[in-house]
Amino acid sequence: MPRVYAVVNQKGGVGKTTTAINVAANLPGLGLSGLIVDMDPQGNTTSGLGIVRSELSRSIYDVIVDAHDINEVVRPTAVTGLDILPSHRSLAGAEIELINLPRRERRLLYALESLRTSYDYIIIDCPPSLGLLTVNCLVAAEYMLIPIQCEYYALEGLGALTHTTQLIQRELNPRLKIGGIVLTLFDPRTTLTLQVAEQVRAQFPEKTFRTVIPRNVRLSEAPSHGMPITQYDPTSRGGVAYQELTKELIAR
Ligand code: ADP
Ligand code: MG
């Protein structure tokens, strides 16, 4: 059975997509197969892995809204050993369309169960909201991987996420738990970064990964070349950090 992680935080721009792509891309190098699921209508994970969305005939939208066979939508990436369920703009409408569908919170869970190929890890990139798409992600996952950008209000957002998590644990998915918290866009030159990091570690001592992800320009350049950091610049500070993070995650 795969270990299923949802990369989640309702704030945008905290490093969810960067973390999803670069953790997933490190798996094959560590001997593990992976599937990455792009549940964000913006599709940055899909384009960041070099897939041109306008050329796709099917996406995760068809799977969760129209119950299209997931095995016809999953496709390989340029990283051997990593497959993807790509996103599409139409997914933005799914937030509303799902409301009237049966088992609206469990569409992704059921779809993943019918995958013919099994993976060691499934990494789901969530949209920046706590709507039905994210609920589908959290119902399909066992672990939440929460990126936190070390800035003001970083911890405030965690309150809403904790509340949603408790609701989902109670009503829909009792297995859901925090798999880990990762400090992203880390800049040790600013005292604010260090203060927030200290607060997060104090509040979640066991859950916060030792590895922090530095602010690193190579990480922000890689998606425009359609490559994960493992291909674009694996020895950059960001590349080394994501490899360390992936090892730490696997060891948990
Ligand atoms: P989210 O998915 O949470 O919205 P992204 O992963 O898309 O966040 O990151 C937001 C922006 O910040 C992107 O342009 C991304 O390239 C950039 N970025 C993310 N992490 C880093 C990092 N560690 N160093 C530099 N830029 C980063
Ligand atoms: Mg994103």
Side-chain angles (χ1 to χ4, degrees), residues 74-104:
V74 69
R75 46 175 290 154
T77 68
V79 180
T80 310
L82 178 66
D83 288 352
I84 184 169
L85 284 163
S87 159
H88 190 266
R89 270 182 237 293
S90 51
L91 201 52
E95 199 77 74
I96 304 295
E97 290 167 277
L98 281 170
I99 292 172
N100 295 315
L101 295 179
R103 301 176 303 274
R104 61 188 178 190

Side-chain angles (χ1 to χ4, degrees), residues 160-237:
L161 180 57
T162 307
H163 179 70
T164 305
T165 307
Q166 285 165 350
L167 279 177
I168 290 176
Q169 283 166 335
R170 197 165 67 222
E171 306 288 340
L172 296 162
N173 180 11
R175 297 194 322 152
L176 183 66
K177 45 195 153 300
I178 296 180
I181 294 175
V182 54
L183 301 171
T184 59
L185 289 145
F186 194 86
D187 182 356
R189 289 166 307 180
T190 67
T191 42
L192 180 60
T193 289
L194 297 172
Q195 281 168 1
V196 173
E198 203 173 296
Q199 281 174 17
V200 172
R201 286 195 193 281
Q203 202 173 330
F204 302 94
E206 241 102 275
K207 297 292 181 188
T208 311
F209 287 106
R210 266 184 293 105
T211 310
V212 298
I213 307 300
R215 190 177 279 279
N216 176 231
V217 69
R218 306 300 272 170
L219 286 172
S220 57
E221 288 168 358
S224 57
H225 299 269
M227 284 184 221
I229 200 69
T230 49
Q231 290 181 337
Y232 182 65
D233 193 350
T235 60
S236 62
R237 287 195 312 129

